[in-house]
């Protein structure tokens, strides 16, 4: 296989790879094809071969296997120069040194520092702020729909809320929030030219470094100051390590929650019988959140891990140095784990909701508790304010943004009365 971005030839898996659509035109169909293809599936990502993991049990085992690492230098195609910085998805993998890109003792140190900064106490301390932000944004929704026209619930409500929360935690100026949100949207989009994506990353780095240096000189009672000045769990983080952790925390800290709130609202509006159970108090909002995380998770394909030796999964051997993708949407539709009706959104399902929306093992998402808290406040408030809310378009006309790694709707227009 010739990589279109380098001209070099890469070895292919023996089976015909399933091509992952960069435009995300048929996410349900792609998920079904991945699930039907087996536990470990050869795929192609913008001309580059890799393996997709599609089963819960297999993913759980591999995510705990120390032989499957995050270190980019373990990737054979990177070592051989087949994949370079010109590959459009490289910034999803080579994102700087952080707890998301290292393994073993280095990972434990970086994650410990983050855990000491993002404490349950710090998360709980912003609960009332989340409530206040939620009601301010609901006011904005109400005003936008006052004339009876549809309101983009994602743009007006689901998108600004988590960005406000993460910026509050970091003590980032309010005026920077729209710029950050727009920058991340363009960074993740496959429609953004690669050169522009690299420029966005460089701009982010300069802005974050200025923020880090300012906070290092003038620490406060905020998450960034805690990350910089933590004295426990080994030597302090270097400036590059703070930068890497900070970029990843902001990206994951708002994108995941946008998708959770939007997907849960979409699922409930498309299943009015189940919405009635929730509003009638027969099903909890916690169940809504967990079933949404399982059925329609924010992460579709998480890039990428690399085996340090050949790994055998059933009848399949993943060669040393190949790229391995965790396809969480397929994993969370695994019938062996979630029952024969795994493709259905069902708040009354008999099987326990044990999903992997936030990952598993050492690299499990550190912001899961915050995302759940935001959704647990936002969703009931949304449906309490707008009990007659309904989708403004047939569900088949709702489109995803061209983001290969995330389940991100382009818009979600609703009528609020």
């Amino acid at each position: 296989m010739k990589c279109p971005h380098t001209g070099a030839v890469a070895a292919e898996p023996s089976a015909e790879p399933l091509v992952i659509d960069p435009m995300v035109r048929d996410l349900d169909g792609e998920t079904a094809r991945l699930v039907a293809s087996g536990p470990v599936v050869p795929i192609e990502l913008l001309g580059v071969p890799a393996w997709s993991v599609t089963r819960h049990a297999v993913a759980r085992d591999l995510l705990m296997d120390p032989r499957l690492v995050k270190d980019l230098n373990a990737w054979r195609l990177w070592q051989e120069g087949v994949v370079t910085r010109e590959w459009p998805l490289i910034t999803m993998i080579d994102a700087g040194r952080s707890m998301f890109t290292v393994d073993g003792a280095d990972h434990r140190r970086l994650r410990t520092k983050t855990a000491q900064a993002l404490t349950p106490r710090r998360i709980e301390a912003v609960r009332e702020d989340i409530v206040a932000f939620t009601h301010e944004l609901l006011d904005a929704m109400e005003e936008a729909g006052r004339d009876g026209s549809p309101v983009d619930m994602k743009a007006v409500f689901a998108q600004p809320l988590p960005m406000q929360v993460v910026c509050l935690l970091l003590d980032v100026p309010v005026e920077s929030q729209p710029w950050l949100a727009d920058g991340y949207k363009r960074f993740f989009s496959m429609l953004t030219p690669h050169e522009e994506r690299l420029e966005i990353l460089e701009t982010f780095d300069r802005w974050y470094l200025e923020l880090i240096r300012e906070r290092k000189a003038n620490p406060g009672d905020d998450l960034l100051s805690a990350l910089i000045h933590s004295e426990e769990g080994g030597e302090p983080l270097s400036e590059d390590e703070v930068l890497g952790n900070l970029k990843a925390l902001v990206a994951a800290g708002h994108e995941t929650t946008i998708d959770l709130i939007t997907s849960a609202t979409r699922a409930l509006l498309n299943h009015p019988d189940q919405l009635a159970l929730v509003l009638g108090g027969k099903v909890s909002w916690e169940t809504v959140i967990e079933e949404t995380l399982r059925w329609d998770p924010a992460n579709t394909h998480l890039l990428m891990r690399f085996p340090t030796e050949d790994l055998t999964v059933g009848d399949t051997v993943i060669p040393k140095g190949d790229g391995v993708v965790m396809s969480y949407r397929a994993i969370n539709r695994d019938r062996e784990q979630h029952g024969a009706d795994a493709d259905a959104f069902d708040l009354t399902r008999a099987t326990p909701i044990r999903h992997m929306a936030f990952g598993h093992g050492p690299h499990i998402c550190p912001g899961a508790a915050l995302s759940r808290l935001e959704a647990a406040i936002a969703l009931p408030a949304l449906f309490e304010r707008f009990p007659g809310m309904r989708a403004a378009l047939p569900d088949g006309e709702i489109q995803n943004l061209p983001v290969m790694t995330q389940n991100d709707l382009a818009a979600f227009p609703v009528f609020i009365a």
Side-chain angles (χ1 to χ4, degrees):
M1 176 184 297
K2 181 176 287 188
C3 179
H5 307 288
T6 65
V9 176
E12 297 184 52
S14 56
E16 187 68 24
L18 192 157
V19 177
I20 302 301
D21 179 13
M23 296 296 106
V24 197
R25 285 165 288 205
D26 181 18
L27 187 56
D28 284 340
E30 182 176 275
T31 300
R33 289 188 290 275
L34 282 167
V35 172
S37 298
V40 181
V41 181
I43 61 172
E44 181 184 311
L45 298 166
L46 297 181
V48 171
W51 298 91
S52 165
V53 177
T54 70
R55 296 292 191 271
H56 183 100
V58 174
R60 183 187 60 215
D61 290 345
L62 288 176
L63 290 170
M64 293 297 292
D65 194 326
R67 298 172 298 172
L68 194 65
V69 301
K70 288 274 199 160
D71 183 3
L72 177 65
N73 293 309
W75 192 10
R76 177 174 49 81
L77 299 185
W78 180 258
Q79 294 170 350
E80 296 172 354
V82 173
V83 174
T84 70
R85 291 286 294 175
E86 298 305 309
W87 187 50
L89 293 175
I90 194 63
T91 51
M92 309 295 178
I93 304 170
D94 185 19
R97 181 177 171 80
S98 76
M99 65 179 176
F100 296 93
T101 60
V102 299
D103 305 283
D106 283 344
H107 171 262
R108 286 191 292 274
R109 172 177 156 270
L110 294 179
R111 188 179 177 92
T112 296
K113 294 288 188 181
T114 304
Q116 289 167 352
L118 191 62
T119 60
R121 179 195 64 80
R122 191 179 298 279
I123 292 173
E124 185 59 31
V126 298
R127 176 185 290 272
E128 292 307 314
D129 294 289
I130 297 172
V131 171
F133 292 155
T134 294
H135 288 287
E136 289 171 6
L137 293 170
L138 291 175
D139 290 343
M141 269 191 75
E142 187 167 356
E143 181 62 29
R146 191 175 298 280
D147 61 357
S149 61
V151 180
D152 184 356
M153 170 266 182
K154 177 189 172 184
V156 180
F157 181 67
Q159 186 166 290
L161 176 61
M163 180 57 81
Q164 287 180 328
V165 173
V166 75
C167 287
L168 172 69
L169 283 165
L170 295 166
D171 192 19
V172 170
V174 172
E175 57 270 21
S176 299
Q177 294 174 18
W179 172 79
L180 274 174
D182 178 69
Y184 277 108
K185 181 179 179 179
R186 290 186 294 118
F187 173 78
F188 285 115
S189 174
M190 297 310 302
L191 295 177
T192 301
H194 188 54
E195 296 77 13
E196 183 180 337
R197 186 178 295 109
L198 294 175
E199 289 173 4
I200 292 168
L201 199 60
E202 290 176 2
T203 301
F204 276 167
D205 282 357
R206 289 193 297 269
W207 186 82
Y208 279 126
L209 281 172
E210 183 178 338
L211 188 66
I212 289 166
R213 288 164 184 169
E214 184 276 329
R215 206 61 50 84
K216 189 172 183 179
N218 302 288
D221 184 21
D222 59 84
L223 176 60
L224 177 54
S225 295
L227 199 61
I228 295 169
H229 295 280
S230 173
E231 296 180 352
E232 301 177 21
E235 62 181 286
L237 298 180
S238 69
E239 188 172 79
D240 284 345
E241 290 169 338
V242 174
L243 173 63
N245 273 9
L246 181 58
K247 287 191 297 184
L249 282 171
V250 175
H254 82 283
E255 285 287 344
T256 300
T257 310
I258 294 170
D259 301 335
L260 171 55
I261 294 172
T262 308
S263 294
T265 305
R266 180 187 186 186
L268 289 171
L269 294 184
N270 284 329
H271 298 82
D273 55 332
Q274 298 194 54
L275 174 58
L277 294 176
V278 181
L279 298 182
K282 296 179 180 178
V283 174
S284 69
W285 284 105
E286 179 185 2
T287 299
V288 173
I289 291 167
E290 297 309 314
E291 177 66 350
T292 301
L293 287 167
R294 181 202 70 80
W295 184 66
D296 206 17
N299 291 316
T300 50
H301 307 288
L302 193 64
L303 314 185
M304 192 182 292
R305 289 171 168 80
F306 315 100
T308 56
E309 60 183 72
D310 290 356
L311 296 179
T312 301
V313 180
D315 297 329
T316 301
V317 176
I318 305 175
K320 173 184 176 180
D322 275 12
V324 178
V325 173
M326 295 293 155
S327 293
Y328 283 115
R329 201 168 193 272
I331 290 166
N332 286 336
R333 300 289 183 97
D334 181 2
R335 292 172 178 81
E336 293 182 10
Q337 175 67 23
H338 300 292
D341 63 344
D343 287 332
F345 178 79
D346 183 4
L347 301 177
T348 64
R349 63 176 49 257
T351 53
I353 305 173
R354 293 173 181 157
H355 57 74
M356 283 193 181
F358 291 113
H360 181 73
H363 285 278
I364 193 168
C365 178
L370 178 61
S371 185
R372 285 182 166 110
L373 175 62
E374 291 177 60
I377 292 171
L379 288 169
L382 174 67
F383 281 91
E384 181 179 354
R385 177 72 73 94
F386 307 120
M389 182 171 54
R390 64 194 191 280
L393 292 174
D395 197 63
E397 295 182 20
I398 303 296
Q399 297 181 340
N400 278 70
L401 286 173
V403 179
M404 293 182 74
T405 55
Q406 292 152 225
N407 178 20
D408 198 352
L409 297 185
F412 188 50
V414 298
F415 292 111
I416 59 175

